[in-house]
Amino acid sequence: MSIESRLHELQIVLPEASEPAAKYANYVIVNGLMFVSGKGPSGNPKGKVGEEFSTEEGYRFARNTGIEVLAVVKSALGSLDKVKRVVKVQGFVNAHPDFEEPHKVLNGFSDLMLDVFGERGIHARSVLGASALRDNLPIVVDSIFQVEE
């Protein structure tokens, strides 16, 4: 099954790829690895998980961030079928100092990668609770994909 068919089955419509917020590239491809710059959720939500947002809301923001990342990957490659593997995910959760569940928030991103790519979506990852993120976003994720060039 193609990834496009899988997205349709999951009722996911990818938006247009967002543009970088400053003077950097949305992505860089080196030796078959695609490094995607940090992305946040669409709609520009603002606030901290564990304060303004619950873990469940953070999970949904992380999943939405994954959709934003997939839009960049598709825009760059022309097709998500050129993704051989999701390699690494690093999440930064804008968290209240007492919030202890950033890993549960990032599961929204990880679960989406598994839903879309199956076994190719299994990846290494790290997650950090942050005291502040750009534009007060609740989450920012950067990621690495192995791709066909």
Side-chain angles (χ1 to χ4, degrees), residues 13-19 26 39 42 67-72 75:
V13 177
L14 296 181
E16 292 293 319
S18 62
E19 293 298 320
N26 244 352
K39 294 292 176 187
S42 63
I67 291 169
E68 293 292 317
V69 168
L70 292 178
V72 169
S75 174

Side-chain angles (χ1 to χ4, degrees), residues 41 49 53-67 93 99 101-115 125 138-139 141:
V49 182
F53 303 116
S54 67
T55 301
E56 294 75 22
E57 289 169 310
Y59 177 98
R60 288 192 296 274
F61 289 139
R63 185 174 177 88
N64 181 267
T65 298
I67 291 169
V93 178
F99 184 68
E101 299 183 322
H103 60 291
K104 291 181 180 179
V105 170
L106 191 57
N107 284 346
F109 190 102
S110 294
D111 289 348
L112 176 70
M113 295 301 119
L114 292 171
D115 290 346
R125 78 174 205 181
I139 187 168
V141 179

Side-chain angles (χ1 to χ4, degrees), residues 73-88:
V73 174
K74 181 179 178 187
S75 174
L77 301 176
S79 170
L80 291 175
D81 290 316
K82 292 184 178 180
V83 172
K84 293 180 177 180
R85 169 153 211 156
V86 182
V87 176
K88 171 80 170 157

Side-chain angles (χ1 to χ4, degrees), residues 90-139:
Q90 185 169 24
F92 301 90
V93 178
N94 188 3
H96 183 275
D98 295 331
F99 184 68
E100 296 181 354
E101 299 183 322
H103 60 291
K104 291 181 180 179
V105 170
L106 191 57
N107 284 346
F109 190 102
S110 294
D111 289 348
L112 176 70
M113 295 301 119
L114 292 171
D115 290 346
V116 171
F117 295 109
E119 284 191 24
R120 294 184 296 159
I122 298 171
H123 52 271
R125 78 174 205 181
S126 57
V127 62
L128 302 167
S131 62
L133 293 178
R134 68 175 168 83
D135 299 327
N136 201 26
L137 291 172
I139 187 168

Side-chain angles (χ1 to χ4, degrees), residues 23-46:
K23 294 185 179 184
Y24 59 86
N26 244 352
Y27 66 90
V28 173
I29 299 174
V30 177
N31 296 327
L33 293 177
M34 180 179 196
F35 298 80
V36 180
S37 293
K39 294 292 176 187
S42 63
N44 206 25
K46 296 183 183 296

